[in-house]
Each structure stands twice: as structure tokens, then as C-alpha cells.
Amino acid sequence: MLTKRVEDALNEQIKMEGLSSNFYLAMASWAEQNGYAGVSGFLYKHSDEERFHMLKLVKYMNERDGKVVIPAFEQPRSNYNNVKELFEELYKHEVAVTQSIGELVGVCLEEKDFTTHNFLQWYVSEQLEEEALAKTIIDKIKLMGEDKSTWYHFDRDIMSLTVTSAADGAGAA
Ligand code: OFO
């Protein structure tokens, strides 16, 4: 059984992960519309990963006999001035998700729910990877400047930068 506080906090996190998925889906679509095939492929995949994070929480809550509430999601932003701005937004969002995971972990400790605390360690590692990746991408963009050929290579290479570490071997929980 989950305490009401843990249940509410997990439902909040379900919302956060679903929001992330939609946010990155809208980014992927913008990138596709603007000719960045590699960036859009990366973001479509990222959006799928966030949906997986949401599902993993839904399944965990059901396993623990919690009451899952699938929320409505606000419409994500659908326009960007450029790819740099897009990745800066993505990074900001990942930092907010990391904070929200941290708060959730804190609630579990206060409620002495060590099972959920243990389950959430996967998310803690995942956020570490995702924040680092977003930061690496922004650093690369800053180094590139306006040179068109560098952008061509960036768009081609970004597909290989997908976060897979924490998702690997996690199974469909
Ligand atoms: Fe769900 O991992 Fe990022 O947000």
C-alpha cells in the first residue's frame, strides 16, 4: 500500500513525465518542419522515452495498489527561433524534472516508504544522464556558431547521442 502523500506525489510525477513526452513531441515536430531530420529523430525518440517513464510509474502504482490518475496535459510550446533555443528549453525542463524527482524521493523518505524510494533510484540515474546529455548538446551548439556545414554534421550525428543507459535493461516495468 502507498500512503496518500506518496500516491499524490507519484501522480504528480506521472504528469511531469507525460508533459515531458508531449513537450519533446512538439519539439520533434518543429524540428522536422524546419528541415532538421536528425534533431527531430532524436526528439521523437526522447518523447517515446518519457512516455515509457510515465508508464513505468503507472505500472508501479498499480502494482502497489495505488490510485493512478491520468491527468490532462497542457498544450506544449510549438515554435522556436532556432535549435539552440529549443535545446536550452529542453535543458531547463530536465532540470525541473530532476528537482521534481528529488522532491518525490524526499516524500518517500519522510513517509518511510523505502520500496518506492528504491524504485525511484532508476529515475535519479536517468535524470543525471539526461541533464548531462542536454548540457553536452548545448555546449556543442555554442561551439558551432553559424557555419552551415557544421550544422549539417551536427544534425547527422545527434542521432547517435540518445540516452539509453538507464533505460537499458530496465525492462518494461
Ligand atoms: Fe523522464 O527523464 Fe527526463 O524528463
Side-chain angles (χ1 to χ4, degrees), residues 28-46:
S29 177
W30 177 88
E32 195 165 43
Q33 282 161 21
N34 285 276
Y36 294 101
V39 170
S40 82
F42 170 85
L43 290 165
Y44 278 125
K45 190 149 191 295
H46 205 344

Side-chain angles (χ1 to χ4, degrees), residues 17 20 24 46 50 53 93-94 97 123 126-127 130:
E17 302 292 344
S20 305
Y24 300 156
H46 205 344
E50 297 298 351
H53 299 172
H93 185 73
E94 286 302 332
V97 174
Y123 287 84
E126 183 74 5
Q127 279 312 119
E130 290 194 357

Side-chain angles (χ1 to χ4, degrees), residues 107-119:
V107 169
C108 292
L109 286 177
E110 281 166 24
E111 295 288 302
K112 299 197 181 342
D113 183 343
F114 302 114
T115 308
T116 305
H117 179 271
N118 187 45
F119 164 78

Side-chain angles (χ1 to χ4, degrees), residues 6 47 56 62 65 73 79 114 157 162:
V6 170
S47 168
K56 197 171 157 69
N62 283 333
D65 217 10
F73 299 110
N79 245 315
F114 302 114
D157 295 345
T162 309

Side-chain angles (χ1 to χ4, degrees), residues 155-168:
D155 191 54
R156 190 196 57 191
D157 295 345
I158 192 168
M159 282 301 282
S160 61
L161 285 177
T162 309
V163 173
T164 50
S165 55
D168 282 351

